Structure formats: structure tokens, C-alpha cells
Amino acid sequence: MTPITNRNILISGASVAGPALAYWLHRYGFTPTIVERAPALREGGHAVDCRGKAHMTVLRRMGILDAVEAARTGMGPTWYVNSAGKRLASLPADLFAGDVEILRGDLARILYDATAQHTEYIFGDSITAMREDGDGVHVTFEHTPPRRFDLVIGADGIHSKVRSLAFGPESRYFKHLGLHCAIFTTPNHLGLQYTALAYSTPGKLVSIYSPRHNTEAKAVLWFASPSADYHRHDIARQKQILADTFRGNGWESDPLLVAMWDSPDFYFDAIGQVHMETWTTGRTALLGDAAYSPFPLSGMGTGLALVGAYVLAGELATAHGDHRTAFPAYEQEMRGYAEKCMKMGQGVSKFMVPQSRTMAWFLRQNYKLMPYLPGKSLMAKGARKTAESIPLK
């Protein structure tokens, strides 16, 4: 039997892609280590979903499908409302929730529980430098003493530190889609029951939904903006930008802004995609949003990360750890699939948050007709078709 080489693999990022990869690497005989900047698992976050045969097959093969379904949000349709809160038209649950929808933090916890016994987790730390030679990668951390690994995988999101160190600055690869988004937890003051409400004005979208068996609500605010003056870690400035943008916007905008200041899990970021000609270089590879972020409203990001982890680990196992064979095979198998998911994300962004008054007016005029239009079911079918477009080994 051919021995496995490059057993010791460092993964940056403990959200979804990183722990999923660690699960498969351990199963194939590798020794994964995960480093995560946050001091602990990140709770909360937006609802994420898996849809179609490929996504569900990976969850089933990992043995976590039952746990994911037990923690599902159970969301029903999303209703568009007017400024008075009157429900005008709905979009089907399948369009946003797929086959199973779960809060990102809940999924991260399930993946952590499935890997913690055999994976070393280093929380509250980050990679600062990587130096590759013929035998491995010498990695320097902010706090942990330097260590050597055989391979390094960047699964650290759209602002990947591994990508910046190995491939160059983020500006080369991040394509801004002209939107910003904020997500935070609030009390379920509207008494929502497994449903979401959305209020649209030109260049803005305010939505609320009720996860965790309606015990809380998630507010999601989108707005069109070519750029915003803020530092990625300056939460106070981000909240002020949101307050200035949505003050007086109508419906529940002002009450949500009040709740925002005390929210325990506020998240804010520019929305875009990552486009790269290659996801690997030497002994380093990128996975998930770090390599091919589609768009949050596409409903593809989480499933894409899970499939990518499955494929990358499988190729490493097939090549007995030889990254010179496994990395190109991973790119070849995932490239077309990732590009389809990203293309769908671009279309969804234009539909969900119309930036022109003309398009916003057009959508408002069609709310009453929406229940009779085939478009919403076609969008859901299109998303499922895209999600299922990769054959798994």
C-alpha cells in the first residue's frame, strides 16, 4: 500500500469549510489542525442552506444530516410587505431555505462537535507569515510559537489571510457587487412564526425572520453602495453607517435600528465575489469563500464549501497526500461548479436589491401578480439545478 505523505495539514478558519475539510482529512488518515482568529466558535450569523443531491449527500456521508435537520430553522415563505406591514406577495421557502436551512453558527457547532476529538483547534490566533521550502511550510502565528506543516489550506472566508499571504492583496480578487449587508439578532417583537418579512425600497432591503423555533429574530439589512468609509473591525462606525442609511426608511427600519445598538452579534460587510484564476500555489490551497465566494443570497455558499471540502480531501486521499497531483485535480473538478454558483449569485443580487427606481417600481407593480407568475418557482428550480450540477464520486 502506498504510504500517505503530507499528513500534517494546517487549516485557517473554523466556520464551515475548515471543519468540514478536517472531518474528511482525518477520515482519510491525515492530521488536521485548525487555527481561528475568533476566541471561540462564532455564534449566530445568517441562516444558510443546503439543497439538492450533492449538498445533501455530503451531509449524509459525514453522518451529521440528522443533527442538521434537528437544528433547522423550519422557515416557510418570505413575504414582501408594504410600509404598513401588509403582506403583498410571497416567495417559496425552497428559494431561500433549500432542502434544509440552519443558522451558520449552529452548523459550525455541529461540525466542531464532529471534529473536536481528532482535530487540534487553536482559537484566538491567526497566521502572520508562511515560508515554503521543499519539505513543507514554516508558519508564524500572532501568538502560537512557529510550527511546520506539510500543507496549508485557507478556509478563512472572503477576507482570507492565507490568500493575501500566498496570492497577494484582496483587491486583486474581490469583486464588489455594489451592496453592503448587516445581520444581527433582535427579539421576535413581530411574533413571527417560521416566516420572513421583507420590505424593499430603491437600493435598500429590510428583512426579518424567526429562527430557533421563533425564540428570536434575525434582522438583515441590505443597501446599495459602491463603497463605504469604515474599517472592517470598527463595529461602532459600521452601526453608524447603517443608522444613517436606514433612518426614516419606513416599516420596521427605525425600531430595528434601535435594537441594533444592543445586539450581541452584529455583522456588517461589503458584498462581493472572489474571482481567481487558480486556487492553489505550491503547498497552499484555498477553499470555500476564500477561493470562490458566490453571494449570500445565492443560497450556494455553504453547500459549495461543503462540496469543496469533500472534493479536496478526496483528491488528497486519492493522491496519497501528493499535493502536486491532488491540487490540480481539485481545481479541475470544482472550477465549473463554482463558476455556475457564482453566476447565479450575480443574478440574484440584481433581483433582490434593485438599485434603480425603475426596477424597484417594476417589482412593486408586480407584487400583486407574483402569486400567478411562474418566475419564482423557476428561480427555485434553477437554484436546485445549479446545486446538483456536480457529480460526486
Side-chain angles (χ1 to χ4, degrees):
M1 179 179 294
T2 304
I4 295 178
T5 60
N6 297 325
R7 286 181 179 272
N8 296 315
I9 301 177
L10 176 64
I11 304 167
S12 177
S15 181
V16 173
L21 178 63
Y23 172 89
W24 291 110
L25 288 176
H26 169 75
R27 186 160 166 174
Y28 293 136
F30 297 90
T31 303
T33 297
I34 294 181
V35 60
E36 166 59 46
R37 173 180 289 277
L41 285 179
R42 299 176 188 269
E43 299 294 337
H46 197 12
V48 298
D49 58 89
C50 293
R51 67 184 70 228
K53 183 177 180 180
H55 298 181
M56 302 302 287
T57 294
V58 171
L59 293 175
R60 189 174 293 108
R61 291 179 180 176
M62 293 180 74
I64 63 172
L65 181 56
D66 288 346
V68 171
E69 290 186 330
R72 68 192 304 163
T73 63
M75 290 298 297
T78 294
W79 284 89
Y80 278 96
V81 300
N82 61 16
S83 59
K86 179 182 178 180
R87 299 186 181 191
L88 303 176
S90 66
L91 293 173
D94 186 41
L95 181 59
F96 297 109
D99 289 310
V100 59
E101 183 184 64
I102 181 173
L103 291 184
R104 185 210 53 77
D106 292 344
L107 178 57
R109 171 62 63 179
I110 291 170
L111 290 167
Y112 174 80
D113 291 342
T115 56
Q117 290 186 349
H118 54 69
T119 297
E120 177 189 6
Y121 278 83
I122 305 172
F123 285 103
D125 211 344
S126 179
I127 299 172
T128 59
M130 302 187 303
R131 187 179 72 250
E132 180 177 332
D133 55 37
D135 299 321
V137 185
H138 182 83
V139 179
T140 304
F141 301 91
E142 288 185 1
H143 307 292
T144 304
R147 292 169 58 177
R148 284 185 63 81
F149 295 90
D150 297 318
L151 304 173
V152 176
I153 310 298
D156 42 356
I158 200 167
H159 301 297
S160 170
K161 186 64 175 292
V162 171
R163 187 184 63 225
S164 66
L165 291 172
F167 295 86
E170 180 176 305
S171 57
R172 295 182 185 176
Y173 311 108
F174 181 75
K175 179 183 177 182
H176 184 41
L177 294 180
L179 296 173
H180 285 75
C181 176
I183 304 167
F184 52 92
T185 301
T186 75
N188 186 11
H189 68 285
L190 295 179
L192 299 179
Q193 295 287 322
Y194 301 105
T195 192
L197 303 179
Y199 173 67
S200 178
T201 54
K204 300 175 187 176
L205 178 68
V206 178
S207 62
I208 312 174
Y209 62 94
S210 54
R212 291 178 174 163
H213 306 292
N214 306 305
T215 58
E216 63 184 28
K218 293 287 184 180
V220 189
L221 281 66
W222 303 80
F223 68 96
S225 173
S227 63
D229 180 21
Y230 69 97
H231 189 278
R232 192 159 61 89
H233 300 295
D234 187 349
I235 303 300
R237 173 61 182 155
Q238 295 167 13
K239 289 183 176 181
Q240 189 60 55
I241 290 173
L242 206 68
D244 293 342
T245 301
F246 284 91
R247 186 180 297 112
N249 183 60
W251 188 51
E252 292 293 321
S253 299
D254 287 341
L256 289 176
L257 291 178
V258 172
M260 170 193 70
W261 293 102
D262 296 324
S263 178
D265 58 355
F266 180 83
Y267 169 86
F268 180 93
D269 206 351
I271 300 300
Q273 296 181 330
V274 174
H275 293 264
M276 304 185 70
E277 293 183 0
T278 181
W279 308 326
T280 66
T281 179
R283 292 176 173 268
T284 301
L286 300 176
L287 172 67
D289 282 353
Y292 35 79
S293 172
F295 177 67
L297 281 175
S298 69
M300 295 295 174
T302 299
L304 185 56
L306 291 169
V307 171
Y310 175 83
V311 170
L312 177 54
E315 294 300 342
L316 282 168
T318 300
H320 306 286
D322 186 350
H323 63 287
R324 296 167 299 181
T325 299
F327 284 178
Y330 157 65
E331 290 212 39
Q332 182 177 0
E333 187 167 352
M334 286 294 298
R335 174 69 63 175
Y337 184 55
E339 289 178 349
K340 289 180 182 178
C341 293
M342 294 170 76
K343 183 177 180 180
M344 179 180 175
Q346 293 173 353
V348 172
S349 68
K350 296 177 182 178
F351 172 79
M352 291 302 299
V353 191
Q355 299 185 27
S356 71
R357 292 186 177 275
T358 301
M359 180 58 72
W361 176 88
F362 176 80
L363 289 177
R364 287 198 301 273
Q365 299 307 308
N366 283 277
Y367 283 157
K368 293 182 179 180
L369 297 177
M370 196 176 287
Y372 311 102
L373 297 176
K376 59 183 182 180
S377 61
L378 291 177
M379 286 189 293
K381 291 178 180 178
R384 183 172 296 277
K385 183 178 179 180
T386 299
E388 294 177 341
S389 63
I390 183 171
L392 295 183
K393 297 178 181 179

